[in-house]
Amino acid sequence: MSQVQQVKEATDIVHVIGERIQLNRSGSSLRGLCPFHSEKSPSFFVSEQFQRYKCFGCGETGDAFSFLEKYEGMTFSEALKHLADKAGVKLDSYKPSPEDDRHQRLLTILHFAKEYFHFVLTKHESGEAGRAYLKERGVTAESIRLFQLGYSLPSWDGLIAYLHKKKKFSLEDIRATGLTVTGKQGRDYDRFRHRLMFPLTNHRGQVVGFSGRLMDASAKEAKYINSPETELYHKSEMLFGFSELYQEIRKKKEVIVVEGEFDVISSAQAHVNNVVAIKGSALTNEHVQLIARAAQRVLFSLDMDDAGVNATKRAITLAKDKLDMRVIVIASGKDPDELARTSPKEWRDAVKASITVYEYLIQAALKQHTASTADGKREIIDELAPVLGGMSHAVEQDVYIKRLAAALEVREDLVRQDIERFKQGKQRGTINPKKTADSPTPVVKLSRRSKLERFLLFLFFHADQATLSPKVPQLQQLHFQFPGLQPLVNLLLAAKAPLNLQQVTKQLPSDLQQLLFELSADPEFVQTLDTLEGREDDEWQRTLTDVFQEQVRAEMKEINLELTKLDQQLELSPADEGRQAELLEKIVSLRNTLSAKTAA
Ligand SMILES: [Zn+2]
């Protein structure tokens, strides 16, 4: 047995996934909320029997390895090593792929770069500029250590020399980490020079990039430069502080989202240490998924300006089903860094006084428009109707409708009417609710026949072992149309009696295993099965008949089509006439089978 196979055998997918997301038993599988898309009712299934998972909302599917790759961002080798360690399997013959090898090298380069910058800042004499700057901003030694801050020297190739000449990494690998810039003549330079360095880590604490801050306010360069997108660094997934403050975030089940690295550091120093910064101002679906692993509530620190309002609206469309969202409004207009530094208590109080995103949007709209005029009222309603109309909790929605009606001094039922009007899309064209890019892809609608065929096999694979044998010959009369089902049935028919499902399942080729797994975890079927309670065999017979009838009807349809074609011919050859008679006979016989089946 290969080592991969060995680890696979020793691993239970239910355990691997169950450690990370909440799973509940449902029929023969376990289900939970999908970690790969936003949803309210669980459509993520994990099967013990097949050792696979599948989301019926977004379509994600795979085994324990691919789950770790997708969820934890591990490479295959990392996932293998992780699972081998857990299972106590010693890996000796497994060779990582060249891609995994390279991935590991790039991580090592970034790790060394972080150590290098950190060393210069904390130990080296030329790091004095960085130390003085941090001291002035009130950053403590504890924060410098926790966030592994660093300093890049004002030299063109200090880091390259260290990584290439001293640590012997190839220039090609160093380039791939984004730490260098290649000049017109093909020479490589350090990307970060004379800057304060913030290592950017992924959720597993591995350094994947950097943000470098200019220390000289009068310089004409960009205040911040960040690593470019690389195979390891993806801006849309980046939450500064997430891995460093993870324990605290998890403990409080709450996370504060701010804009900059210094906001995070100063806030943590003011003992508000469940805080992260997003790179750039827009919350992404990746951020939401990451946050939702550790927290149930997210607090945004925002101004009451257009940027804040737009960010909030976007956040609502992304995360309203996954996270409870609130807003921290800083009345003085200071940013969290400044407030936390100058009056830490005020910052803590502002956090405690957070308001819901809906209250925030109402307050912002009232501030931006004149609620006392008819025009102002209309503008406010136009702005808020989509937001309030999209709320999924009726009682909560009612609270804000009342609140808005009172603020506008209009009747509540009129506000409700406007929201309804918006929902029905009768608005004068300005508001256009768009489908967000993050909605799961709709599942393809199956024909009635396909659905019945799938359900029939679902019942078969959920039947008691004792009742299986008489069912097998009944399958013989059917021709399955849904792709993959007929080969599956052929294998069942060919299997030795008495049929051992476990054994048949194990020997199936992987595509049929996947098909069978998806079918046996289909949430609609599982739900139906739950309601049968002892009437499983009746359901089997009924479905068998239904499938058969669908099949006969399809055949009749085809024959009728051919007959119509013959009818349309001006002249029939003797062969045509023979065919016509044959078809008519066939149709009569099919009709008889159909009525016999219905009567039975
Ligand atoms: Zn999903």
Side-chain angles (χ1 to χ4, degrees):
M1 196 188 304
S2 78
Q3 289 219 288
V4 174
Q5 201 56 37
Q6 220 177 322
V7 174
K8 217 169 180 172
E9 297 268 311
T11 298
D12 185 2
I13 194 170
V14 173
H15 205 81
V16 175
I17 297 181
E19 266 183 353
R20 291 166 172 86
I21 63 173
Q22 171 93 31
L23 295 174
N24 297 309
R25 190 154 282 282
S26 159
S28 63
S29 10
L30 291 109
R31 71 200 280 187
L33 289 172
C34 176
F36 305 122
H37 83 275
S38 292
E39 61 176 4
K40 266 181 289 184
S41 56
S43 47
F44 184 79
F45 280 74
V46 181
S47 157
E48 225 160 355
Q49 190 193 349
F50 294 99
Q51 290 292 309
R52 298 187 69 82
Y53 66 88
K54 157 105 186 176
C55 172
F56 287 89
C58 68
E60 274 299 329
T61 181
D63 59 11
F65 291 101
S66 53
F67 182 82
L68 288 177
E69 288 177 48
K70 180 104 212 275
Y71 187 86
E72 297 287 1
M74 293 180 179
T75 61
F76 182 78
S77 303
E78 286 174 314
L80 178 68
K81 193 167 172 323
H82 175 85
L83 293 176
D85 285 349
K86 290 228 153 189
V89 176
K90 209 171 154 278
L91 293 177
D92 37 42
S93 68
Y94 178 76
K95 278 237 176 349
S97 68
E99 295 86 60
D100 281 3
D101 244 2
R102 172 182 152 93
H103 180 93
Q104 197 50 54
R105 283 203 308 278
L106 301 192
L107 282 174
T108 313
I109 291 172
L110 288 155
H111 172 78
F112 277 130
K114 180 211 75 179
E115 298 274 288
Y116 175 84
F117 294 140
H118 188 62
F119 173 80
V120 173
L121 177 73
T122 53
K123 305 264 166 52
H124 203 269
E125 56 181 30
S126 49
E128 183 49 37
R131 291 196 288 275
Y133 177 79
L134 286 176
K135 196 169 171 201
E136 198 197 301
R137 292 200 70 130
V139 176
T140 63
E142 161 67 14
S143 295
I144 293 174
R145 193 197 51 75
L146 177 63
F147 296 101
Q148 289 286 295
L149 305 185
Y151 170 65
S152 57
L153 293 167
S155 103
W156 289 98
D157 57 0
L159 179 68
I160 293 179
Y162 172 73
L163 292 171
H164 182 53
K165 299 213 175 84
K166 186 132 185 254
K167 293 288 177 188
K168 305 288 176 217
F169 288 106
S170 73
L171 285 171
E172 193 204 335
D173 281 349
I174 298 171
R175 275 180 214 128
T177 62
L179 284 166
T180 59
V181 192
T182 308
K184 283 200 184 80
Q185 264 95 52
R187 242 197 92 178
D188 296 304
Y189 302 101
D190 287 357
R191 179 182 299 274
F192 301 98
R193 298 180 303 276
H194 187 38
R195 283 173 183 264
L196 189 71
M197 300 301 293
F198 299 91
L200 304 174
T201 55
N202 62 18
H203 68 282
R204 297 162 64 203
Q206 298 167 320
V207 179
V208 290
F210 290 90
S211 179
R213 192 193 199 281
L214 204 65
M215 299 186 296
D216 182 359
S218 64
K220 287 196 176 63
E221 297 159 78
K223 194 155 121 189
Y224 278 97
I225 50 174
N226 297 311
S227 290
E229 290 284 316
T230 66
E231 40 193 289
L232 295 181
Y233 176 73
H234 308 290
K235 183 175 153 192
S236 63
E237 299 169 355
M238 196 45 57
L239 289 171
F240 178 77
F242 189 74
S243 70
E244 290 83 357
L245 302 172
Y246 184 78
Q247 294 307 330
E248 199 62 32
I249 293 167
R250 187 140 198 176
K251 208 164 83 198
K252 292 199 178 127
K253 294 201 171 0
E254 185 179 285
V255 64
I256 298 166
V257 173
V258 293
E259 264 180 37
E261 284 88 356
F262 277 119
D263 295 320
V264 171
I265 295 173
S266 299
S267 177
Q269 289 184 178
H271 305 291
V272 179
N273 43 12
N274 52 328
V275 55
V276 297
I278 49 181
K279 303 297 299 172
S281 54
L283 190 76
T284 65
N285 195 36
E286 288 87 346
H287 293 142
V288 173
Q289 307 296 345
L290 211 52
I291 288 172
R293 293 181 188 183
Q296 284 153 5
R297 168 180 288 179
V298 53
L299 289 78
F300 304 101
S301 161
L302 297 166
D303 292 332
M304 288 244 180
D305 57 8
D306 283 345
V309 168
N310 288 334
T312 309
K313 285 184 179 164
R314 186 175 150 76
I316 290 176
T317 57
L318 275 180
K320 75 174 157 111
D321 294 339
K322 259 201 148 124
L323 296 163
D324 171 26
M325 289 179 290
R326 303 182 70 86
V327 174
I328 301 167
V329 183
I330 303 177
S332 58
K334 290 177 180 168
D335 58 27
D337 167 45
E338 203 183 343
L339 188 64
R341 254 189 307 137
T342 53
S343 40
K345 185 171 179 305
E346 220 175 293
W347 169 237
R348 289 194 294 270
D349 289 344
V351 172
K352 274 187 213 140
S354 69
I355 54 179
T356 69
V357 281
Y358 300 106
E359 177 60 30
Y360 166 80
L361 289 176
I362 291 178
Q363 285 186 22
L366 290 171
K367 208 170 157 189
Q368 280 172 5
H369 308 280
T370 323
S372 56
T373 67
D375 274 350
K377 286 187 213 291
R378 197 198 62 231
E379 284 158 9
I380 292 169
I381 287 283
D382 281 356
E383 196 171 322
L384 295 176
V387 180
L388 298 185
M391 288 179 76
S392 34
H393 201 292
V395 171
E396 197 188 7
Q397 185 188 44
D398 188 62
V399 171
Y400 292 107
I401 289 175
K402 289 200 166 96
R403 158 94 175 86
L404 182 59
L408 296 182
E409 295 176 325
V410 296
R411 290 204 327 260
E412 243 176 82
D413 60 314
L414 295 180
V415 175
R416 276 179 221 282
Q417 260 179 38
D418 275 340
I419 289 177
E420 231 11 78
R421 193 163 50 89
F422 165 77
K423 271 194 185 166
Q424 286 160 9
K426 285 179 191 159
Q427 199 70 355
R428 288 162 314 214
T430 44
I431 303 167
N432 220 342
K434 259 185 261 148
K435 214 168 131 21
T436 62
D438 304 290
S439 336
T441 38
V443 180
V444 183
K445 210 160 156 27
L446 294 179
S447 70
R448 177 175 145 82
R449 182 169 175 192
S450 297
K451 219 166 166 178
L452 283 169
E453 287 179 357
R454 287 167 58 92
F455 186 52
L456 186 71
L457 285 184
F458 169 88
L459 289 171
F460 186 85
F461 279 89
H462 283 81
D464 286 340
Q465 184 70 36
T467 68
L468 275 180
S469 292
K471 290 193 170 80
V472 179
Q474 293 183 304
L475 291 171
Q476 213 147 10
Q477 55 176 332
L478 302 176
H479 320 289
F480 289 85
Q481 195 193 34
F482 187 82
L485 293 187
Q486 192 59 48
L488 187 65
V489 170
N490 290 344
L491 287 170
L492 289 175
L493 293 173
K496 266 201 275 305
L499 187 66
N500 181 335
L501 273 191
Q502 294 278 343
Q503 215 168 352
V504 174
T505 312
K506 262 202 158 166
Q507 286 162 354
L508 290 178
S510 63
D511 57 328
L512 291 187
Q513 274 208 19
Q514 176 68 22
L515 174 74
L516 187 52
F517 158 62
E518 290 187 10
L519 200 136
S520 23
D522 189 306
E524 208 183 316
F525 297 166
V526 172
Q527 214 174 10
T528 313
L529 185 68
D530 285 346
T531 62
L532 289 178
E533 289 171 352
R535 288 177 294 115
E536 287 85 357
D537 274 339
D538 296 347
E539 189 73 10
W540 163 263
Q541 286 305 338
R542 194 171 339 149
T543 313
L544 195 70
T545 310
D546 283 350
V547 173
F548 184 75
Q549 286 181 350
E550 282 293 320
Q551 183 180 309
V552 171
R553 281 199 194 100
E555 268 175 70
M556 284 170 59
K557 204 170 157 192
E558 236 165 78
I559 294 173
N560 274 323
L561 228 91
E562 203 182 331
L563 280 174
T564 315
K565 257 192 213 145
L566 287 173
D567 278 347
Q568 281 163 351
Q569 286 181 37
L570 289 174
E571 224 171 303
L572 290 183
S573 67
D576 286 339
E577 275 175 10
R579 177 73 184 149
Q580 196 176 36
E582 196 184 327
L583 290 173
L584 284 168
E585 216 165 286
K586 238 183 177 173
I587 248 197
V588 172
S589 126
L590 284 173
R591 228 174 247 151
N592 287 340
T593 352
L594 208 55
S595 50
K597 272 276 172 192
T598 323

